[in-house]
Amino acid sequence: SDAQQATIIGLLCLLFIYILASLLPYGVLSQSELASISQPAMANILKGVVGSWGAMLINIGLIISIIGSWLSWTMLPAETTMLMAKDGLLPKFWGKTNSKKAPTYSLVLTAALTNLFLLTFLFTDYAYQFAYSLCTAAILICYLLVGIYQVQFSFQQKDHKQMIIGGIAVVFEL
């Protein structure tokens, strides 16, 4: 119940912050000024509102966010493939660790594949649309499998209401 409550509070706080961050620029600058502002836009907007410390705050937050993303892009795939190897879903060499208990093969291969993926952005004019489409397709497959599992589980439990909801999810994802 604590995790559920924390998730809801966190979601509401983030929603509030996103709404404020989306509305703030329109209260400070005109549409033509917003269109011509340099990146990072929020740093430049806050610089105009509260001074240079506002831009510094946003830039520090941006640096922390990028480091966190980089860390998650590096560690999550490596740990996932290592655990899959331990469960027998991938070959055992994926799960080999070095003296520091880091999954060496998983780290090297997932980092190489991530960098290869990021390099593709240099060769396309539609890098954002490509990444967005790829992520959307991957998410749809996951949700489809969740819907199928819900139908199967609900059928076994004889819970017709949940089976109908799962069926709607499957049809929607298809």
Side-chain angles (χ1 to χ4, degrees):
S1 68
D2 288 343
Q4 183 181 21
Q5 187 177 17
T7 302
I8 291 169
I9 292 170
L11 175 68
L12 292 175
C13 289
L14 282 175
L15 186 61
F16 182 71
I17 290 169
Y18 286 149
I19 290 170
L20 287 180
S22 298
L23 294 177
L24 173 69
Y26 294 107
V28 178
L29 302 171
S30 67
Q31 187 175 5
S32 60
E33 290 171 323
L34 283 173
S36 64
I37 200 165
S38 62
Q39 296 297 327
M42 186 55 75
N44 290 317
I45 292 166
L46 279 183
K47 185 176 182 180
V49 174
V50 296
S52 61
W53 71 267
M56 188 168 34
L57 177 71
I58 293 297
N59 288 330
I60 289 170
L62 188 59
I63 290 168
I64 292 169
S65 176
I66 288 171
I67 289 172
S69 296
W70 172 67
L71 183 63
S72 70
W73 275 44
T74 304
M75 294 307 296
L76 284 176
E79 184 178 356
T80 303
T81 53
M82 181 186 71
L83 293 174
M84 289 171 69
K86 287 185 179 183
D87 287 343
L89 298 171
L90 288 174
K92 291 204 182 284
F93 60 87
W94 283 84
K96 288 185 182 176
T97 58
N98 62 13
S99 62
K100 305 285 186 192
K101 305 290 184 209
T104 310
Y105 184 80
S106 291
L107 275 171
V108 170
L109 189 62
T110 55
L113 290 174
T114 300
N115 284 313
L116 183 66
F117 173 71
L118 292 174
L119 283 174
T120 62
F121 291 161
L122 296 175
F123 304 109
T124 179
D125 293 333
Y126 303 101
Y128 181 77
Q129 289 176 339
F130 171 69
Y132 188 81
S133 298
L134 190 64
C135 290
T136 303
I139 290 169
L140 286 176
I141 293 169
C142 294
Y143 285 152
L144 174 64
L145 293 174
V146 167
I148 291 170
Y149 180 76
Q150 181 173 349
V151 169
Q152 177 190 4
F153 185 78
S154 300
F155 180 76
Q156 291 171 350
Q157 300 296 317
K158 298 183 185 349
D159 186 350
H160 299 291
K161 179 181 173 187
Q162 289 298 318
M163 192 165 50
I164 291 170
I165 293 171
I168 292 169
V170 168
V171 169
F172 177 76
E173 295 305 322
L174 286 173

